[in-house]
Every structure is written in C-alpha cells, then in structure tokens.
Amino acid sequence: MAQRGWRTFLKPGWVITAILVIAFAYVAFTVLAPWQLGKNSRTQATNHRLEKAFHADPVPLSKVITKTASAPTGTIDESNEWKRVKLQGSFLADEELVLRNRPVNSDAAYQILTPFRADDGTVIMVNRGYVRPESGSRIPSFAPPPSGKVTIQGYTRLDEPAPEEPKTTHDDGYTEITNLSSSWYKKEIPQENFVKGYVQLEENQPGTLNAIPLPQLDSGPYLSYGIQWITFGILAPLGLGYFAWAEIRERRKAREEEQEYGALGEEDITSDGTPTADETAADDRDAGESATISGEDASSVKRVDSEEGQGPTSEHVPSDQRSQDKPSSADEDTTDRGSQPEPTYQQDLYDNRYGGTKRRNAFAQRFKKDEERF
C-alpha cells in the first residue's frame, strides 16, 4: 500500500530540499535582489548628477573645494565630483608628471599631469589628457602647456587613495607615477601644497592634448539582475510545490490502481489468500462430477473390451491401419499446448503485481465477463 498523507514529505530528502529552497528564497529577497537594485539606484543617481553637471555653467574652483583643519589647502568631496569649474592662473610646466598604466578606451596610454596655480594661490593638479605610447612602451613627445596666464575649464575629480609603497620611475626625462593621489604629488613636488583632488580638462581648452572621454551614462545590467533574483526567489518555492503536487498525484494514482486490481479477487478469495465458502463448494462439486465421469468411463471401457473380444482381434488388423489409428506423440503435444489458453497482457500484469494462481484466475474470469459485456 502506498504511503498516505503528508508523512511522505517528512523524509530527509524532502525536508532538506524544503530547507534549501526556503533559505535560497530568503537570501534572494533580502540580500541578492536588494544588492543589485541598490547598485542600480546608486548608478542612476550618479548618472543624474553627471548629466546635470555636464550641462551646468562652470563655477570658480573655490566654490567646490572644502577647507578643513586636516586639509587646509582644500578637498573636493564626492558631492562635488564632476562639477564644471573655471580656473585662472598658470601651468607649472617644470613640475609635470606622467601617469602610466592607465588605458584609455581599452588601449595603452600615458596621461599627462601638470600642476596649475590659480590666481588666489591654490595649486591643483590638472590632467591635460593622454598620448599613445610609441615603439611598444616609449613615451612620445607631446606639446607642452601654454605659458603665462590662461583660463581653463574642466571637471573636478576625487583624490585617489595613496598606495602603500609608491614607486616612482624616471624614464627619458619624465617622472612617472601610477596613482592620482595628492600625497604622491607632494612627495615628488614638495614645494607645493596641492588640493586633494584634480581637474580633468575639457576638449578644446588651452593645454589639452587628447581629452579623457567622459563616462557613459548607462545604468548597466543591475536592474535586470535584481529582477532576476526576485524571479528566482518566487520560482524556487513554486517549483517545490509543483514537485510535491506531482508526488501526491502519483501516489494517489498508485492507490487507485491497487484498489481497482485488488477488488478483482474479492469474489473468489479472501484478503489473506484462503478459499472462500463459495469456492470450497465449487471445488467439492467439481470433484463429485469428476468421480461420476470416472465411473462412467470405467463402465464404457468394460463394454468396449467385451465387444472387442467378440470382434476381430488385433492380429487380423493390418499394421498400417494400427499405425494410423494410434496418435503420434507430436500430435499429443500439439493438442496439449492448444488446450492451454495463451496468457494475456492483463493476466501477466496482475500476476506480476499480486502473484498467485487464484488471483490470476479471478482476474481472467472478470476480464472475460467484461469482454462479453462490451
């Protein structure tokens, strides 16, 4: 008998699967989806701020830097990044640096950094753009910054964290660094006090080489990732419910089949396989009929023997006739096999499922009745 009820789902396999599905759905709803949706929100906020800054009129540098006791020269904070600013002053061409290992558009490039002193005495690093290397990794020649007083426009950028062990190299007369950090500038140019941050020049400005491209205002795939995690969190419990429903359906179907086939033998046998009263009476009746037939056969044999004694003996019967009258063993085998009915598919199915000759015979009788009726 198939296991009934919800006890099936208390097995270790089902319990572990349910725990894993619930845990996954919980993590998907509380961690993974908020993580991706949060990144999408931050990206959209940044894009909105950048779009607004790109189209705003430039402001003086003094309005976007914050001076504190720890940073008396001023700092560009995150809220003021990518602001358009206007500076008046002069480039310090003798203190120029080269930023290496900074690809532009996925291609190798060197970025040129030149300090700029504003009219109010503020010194800030200016990224004049990039140049492509020559002959592998050689720094090419590039135009120097304009001398004298100039007015430039650019975008404010944040100061990068200082490396633990900054390594400066000198090649072909250039001082090369790998980080846009004001502390590294101070190390190489100790006579200047730099603002924490730098200015990235716009195109067509005095001293601009190849302007650094502006970031693309793309939200990225974070929104779709967040929706996917929410979808997975919903589908996981639904999938578990579907498999549970399929398990219940199959077990119900198995119980119905057991009840259907089990009812076929109730007319002739009891539940434990012992003959019923009707079956016992039928067996006794068959035994009596067999005894009567045996007696009649014995009387017939005697009459035949007496008649044969009066008729011609076997000696006067030709041998050919005797051989024709006697059935062959092959014919006997054929007759015996022909008298046995071929087992049907239904009989084999019932016998394999429940076993027993009486149950099989009961099923055959019931099947025969059904055939006659339909």
Side-chain angles (χ1 to χ4, degrees), residues 192-206:
E192 305 293 348
N193 294 320
F194 290 93
V195 174
K196 288 187 176 180
Y198 66 97
V199 173
Q200 177 178 309
L201 279 186
E202 297 180 1
E203 293 183 357
N204 302 321
Q205 292 295 311

Side-chain angles (χ1 to χ4, degrees), residues 52-66 76-77 79-88 116 118 120 122 124 151-157 198-202 205:
K52 184 178 179 180
F54 293 162
H55 296 87
D57 294 331
V59 298
L61 179 64
S62 59
K63 291 188 176 181
V64 297
I65 62 174
T66 303
I76 299 175
D77 56 31
S79 62
N80 289 320
E81 188 180 17
W82 292 108
K83 289 289 184 68
R84 293 184 69 197
V85 294
K86 178 184 292 187
L87 297 86
Q88 292 181 346
F116 186 90
D120 60 0
T122 302
I124 188 169
T151 300
I152 59 175
Q153 292 182 182
Y155 301 95
T156 55
R157 300 297 307 274
Y198 66 97
V199 173
Q200 177 178 309
L201 279 186
E202 297 180 1
Q205 292 295 311

Side-chain angles (χ1 to χ4, degrees), residues 22-343:
I22 294 173
F24 171 78
Y26 176 80
V27 173
F29 283 122
T30 60
V31 178
L32 299 175
W35 168 47
Q36 294 295 332
L37 295 177
K39 293 177 68 174
N40 178 73
S41 299
R42 291 189 296 271
T43 302
Q44 288 184 340
T46 301
N47 290 343
H48 179 71
R49 179 166 52 85
L50 292 179
E51 185 176 7
K52 184 178 179 180
F54 293 162
H55 296 87
D57 294 331
V59 298
L61 179 64
S62 59
K63 291 188 176 181
V64 297
I65 62 174
T66 303
K67 295 183 179 182
T68 61
S70 59
T73 57
T75 302
I76 299 175
D77 56 31
E78 187 175 359
S79 62
N80 289 320
E81 188 180 17
W82 292 108
K83 289 289 184 68
R84 293 184 69 197
V85 294
K86 178 184 292 187
L87 297 86
Q88 292 181 346
S90 58
F91 286 102
L92 305 178
D94 295 337
E95 300 173 358
E96 198 164 56
L97 303 176
V98 175
L99 181 68
R100 67 176 186 272
N101 299 333
R102 287 296 179 97
V104 176
N105 294 332
S106 302
D107 293 327
Y110 289 103
Q111 298 184 20
I112 310 304
L113 309 177
T114 307
F116 186 90
R117 179 179 287 115
D119 292 340
D120 60 0
T122 302
V123 179
I124 188 169
M125 187 64 74
V126 174
N127 189 334
R128 298 202 294 129
Y130 68 92
V131 293
R132 298 297 182 186
E134 292 180 350
S135 302
S137 60
R138 183 173 176 271
I139 301 175
S141 60
F142 51 86
S147 59
K149 297 290 184 179
V150 293
T151 300
I152 59 175
Q153 292 182 182
Y155 301 95
T156 55
R157 300 297 307 274
L158 298 181
D159 198 40
E160 295 182 358
E164 295 181 359
E165 297 180 0
K167 296 181 179 180
T168 305
T169 59
H170 300 274
D171 188 13
D172 294 335
Y174 299 104
T175 302
E176 302 178 23
I177 61 176
T178 60
N179 187 274
L180 286 163
S181 172
S182 58
S183 61
W184 203 339
Y185 312 153
K186 181 66 175 177
K187 178 183 177 182
E188 300 301 325
I189 313 173
Q191 66 275 16
E192 305 293 348
N193 294 320
F194 290 93
V195 174
K196 288 187 176 180
Y198 66 97
V199 173
Q200 177 178 309
L201 279 186
E202 297 180 1
E203 293 183 357
N204 302 321
Q205 292 295 311
T208 302
L209 298 173
N210 298 302
I212 305 297
L214 296 176
Q216 297 295 324
L217 302 182
D218 184 9
S219 298
Y222 307 121
L223 178 60
S224 61
Y225 289 165
I227 295 175
Q228 288 178 8
W229 283 121
I230 293 175
T231 304
F232 294 155
I234 295 174
L235 291 180
L238 290 179
L240 178 63
Y242 171 78
F243 286 115
W245 172 79
E247 180 71 16
I248 294 173
R249 181 187 61 181
E250 292 300 324
R251 291 184 177 274
R252 184 184 296 115
K253 183 178 179 181
R255 288 199 301 269
E256 292 175 355
E257 289 180 355
E258 289 182 3
Q259 294 174 359
E260 178 182 355
Y261 289 115
L264 297 177
E266 292 179 356
E267 299 178 359
D268 302 307
I269 58 176
T270 59
S271 60
D272 59 353
T274 58
T276 61
D278 295 339
E279 185 180 2
T280 303
D283 292 343
D284 294 341
R285 187 167 53 255
D286 294 341
E289 292 177 357
S290 299
T292 304
I293 293 174
S294 299
E296 293 177 355
D297 291 342
S299 300
S300 300
V301 170
K302 291 180 181 180
R303 288 196 301 270
V304 170
D305 292 343
S306 61
E307 292 175 358
E308 288 180 353
Q310 297 176 1
T313 62
S314 61
E315 295 177 357
H316 297 86
V317 178
S319 60
D320 296 340
Q321 182 177 357
R322 288 199 302 270
S323 62
Q324 293 177 359
D325 294 339
K326 183 178 179 181
S328 63
S329 59
D331 295 338
E332 291 177 355
D333 294 341
T334 304
T335 302
D336 293 342
R337 288 195 301 269
S339 62
Q340 297 178 359
E342 290 290 336

